Amino acid sequence: MKPYVAQIHAYVPGKSSASDGKPLVKLSANENPLGCSPVALDALAIAGSPNDYPDPGATALREAIGELHGIDAARIVCGTGSDELLNLAAQAYAGAGDEVMFSRYSFAVYDIAAKRCGADAVEVDDRDYAADVDALLARVTPRTRVIFLANPNNPTGTYLPREEVARLHAGLPADVLLVLDQAYAEYLEPEEDDGSMELAAAHENVLVTRTFSKIYGLAAERIGWATGAPHIIDALNRIRGPFNVTSSGQRAALAATGDQDFVKRSRDHNRIERERFEARITMLGNRGLCVVPSKANFLLVMFGGEVTAETALHAIADAGFAVRHLPGQGLGDGLRITIGSRADMDTIADVLADVTGGANALS
Ligand SMILES: *Cc1c(COP(=O)(O)O)cnc(C)c1O
């Protein structure tokens, strides 16, 4: 094994069962509680021809994405989830002796993506669980090749407004690639758009990644996409898997782009239930609980009182739910809880009130 591979800690996925094997409702992987669009389900039900390789260029899907977002399809590349594209971005632009930078408490894949191409992973201090633009810019060196920014961020849900994203880009040397990971962008209200797409359209060193895994509810199909300047798309096309998106995945994603009502319904459900759940957790403030403000489809709840995150994790599991505890990412005092159905969120809020001995009913 290469020494830099030996240094990698494999990604730890969110749990879907208790330690005794009992299945749990999975609120640990930021999946869509509404499922996916019925038209995407219909597209998945078509048998197709499994003996044939998929369209290597995902042409119809890229054209549909291009039309939806006003992007030339030639400036789009699809991937086996956006995970593949994040890894390819690091691999295409960084290697041994180079630095790949990201904020503390950001997506666990960035550290793996940096190390698996032999580059040094540089984790920069956050500010209140969010990316700190000044701190990131201050850490740029001549060896910095790639910066990853998730906006909204996972696992904290924090968000940098458009001026901050623009300021980060403006402060970078032209030969540093800024990767703006927008896995949760569809959960933002239209007026909260962070300007990433415009940066990718206008500049030579910006790549935006998106996914069908989150609001579109197609995580099992593994479909992501990225857009940026033609030379960046060319680089990723050279090193991606030639048949990296399955035929069924291409069909389902294509159908899903045509159902923006489903996307809006999912966004509305998420905002309403996230606010409701946040209100109930905030009522447990005197028990040491607080939430990190979130723009995504999950809330990071911090435990600063007598009851620890680990105790709460077990109480929530006893009630039948898996949520995410991330001590390995320095968040041992927090639980990241995906926004599920109203009934599920009410149950979890009840459990947290019970276990902390507080009261938090909404009137
Ligand atoms: C979920 C997630 C992804 C997307 O993963 P896919 O490979 O597209 O399923 C990317 N970035 C962040 C920050 C995520 O949370």
Side-chain angles (χ1 to χ4, degrees):
M1 198 188 295
K2 293 281 189 196
Y4 59 83
V5 174
Q7 272 186 22
I8 295 174
H9 299 284
Y11 183 81
V12 182
K15 287 198 173 71
S16 56
S17 60
S19 40
D20 62 4
K22 183 179 75 160
L24 300 173
V25 175
K26 195 170 165 209
L27 297 178
S28 59
N30 301 341
E31 292 145 337
N32 189 335
L34 306 187
C36 71
S37 160
V39 297
L41 263 191
D42 288 346
L44 283 174
I46 298 169
S49 39
N51 53 312
D52 291 331
Y53 279 107
D55 173 6
T59 314
L61 174 56
R62 284 188 301 109
E63 280 168 2
I65 294 168
E67 193 157 315
L68 180 64
H69 291 277
I71 303 168
D72 179 354
R75 296 176 65 105
I76 295 172
V77 57
C78 291
T80 315
S82 49
D83 269 5
E84 183 192 19
L85 301 164
L86 298 168
N87 279 294
L88 294 178
Q91 196 186 347
Y93 292 96
D98 296 330
E99 292 173 346
V100 172
M101 188 188 286
F102 45 87
S103 180
R104 191 176 176 211
Y105 309 135
S106 59
F107 191 34
V109 162
Y110 305 154
D111 186 68
I112 298 173
K115 289 174 179 162
R116 78 179 218 176
C117 59
D120 294 327
V122 178
E123 191 179 90
V124 176
D125 284 347
D126 63 299
R127 181 167 30 186
D128 297 334
Y129 300 105
D132 179 341
V133 170
D134 295 308
L136 286 166
L137 289 176
R139 284 290 286 276
V140 172
T141 75
R143 299 203 291 131
T144 309
R145 299 269 56 90
V146 177
I147 297 185
F148 287 112
L149 177 75
N151 204 36
N153 184 45
N154 174 17
T156 63
T158 52
Y159 154 85
L160 291 190
R162 133 191 311 261
E163 310 76 61
E164 284 291 279
V165 178
R167 195 164 73 81
L168 174 61
H169 175 259
L172 293 178
D175 65 350
V176 173
L177 178 68
L178 176 60
V179 179
L180 297 168
D181 175 349
Q182 290 205 301
Y184 301 97
E186 293 89 352
Y187 286 103
L188 297 170
E189 298 301 319
E191 67 276 11
E192 294 170 330
D193 183 309
D194 73 357
S196 289
M197 288 293 183
E198 284 146 82
L199 288 175
H203 299 282
E204 297 292 313
N205 64 336
V206 178
L207 183 72
V208 168
T209 62
R210 290 273 185 123
T211 182
F212 283 91
S213 299
K214 302 287 157 61
I215 210 165
Y216 284 100
L218 291 170
E221 293 300 313
R222 314 301 307 123
I223 316 136
W225 59 279
T227 183
H231 68 94
I232 307 175
I233 300 307
D234 176 45
L236 301 198
N237 271 320
R238 286 168 194 255
I239 58 174
R240 70 175 168 87
F243 303 103
N244 58 347
V245 186
T246 63
S247 301
S248 59
Q250 291 185 35
R251 275 199 306 274
L254 174 62
T257 57
D259 189 357
Q260 292 301 309
D261 279 353
F262 175 80
V263 172
K264 182 169 188 316
R265 244 184 300 133
S266 299
R267 177 165 56 240
D268 290 347
H269 167 86
N270 184 65
R271 186 192 57 251
I272 292 164
E273 298 310 325
R274 188 184 64 209
E275 285 174 2
R276 184 181 158 94
F277 185 64
E278 177 171 355
R280 292 199 61 188
I281 301 304
T282 303
M283 284 185 229
L284 300 172
N286 59 348
R287 305 283 157 168
L289 270 60
C290 68
V291 299
V292 177
S294 171
K295 297 278 188 191
N297 66 340
F298 54 85
L299 265 187
L300 182 63
V301 179
M302 302 304 295
F303 294 77
E306 269 173 44
V307 171
T308 64
E310 204 165 359
T311 302
L313 178 71
H314 293 305
I316 292 170
D318 287 343
F321 298 90
V323 300
R324 202 86 152 88
H325 188 214
L326 293 161
Q329 279 187 257
L331 290 169
D333 292 336
L335 292 178
R336 192 198 67 188
I337 304 175
T338 303
I339 304 302
S341 69
R342 170 165 295 189
D344 289 351
M345 302 322 287
D346 279 350
T347 304
I348 292 174
D350 290 343
V351 169
L352 290 175
D354 260 9
V355 76
T356 57
N360 67 347
L362 289 178
S363 53

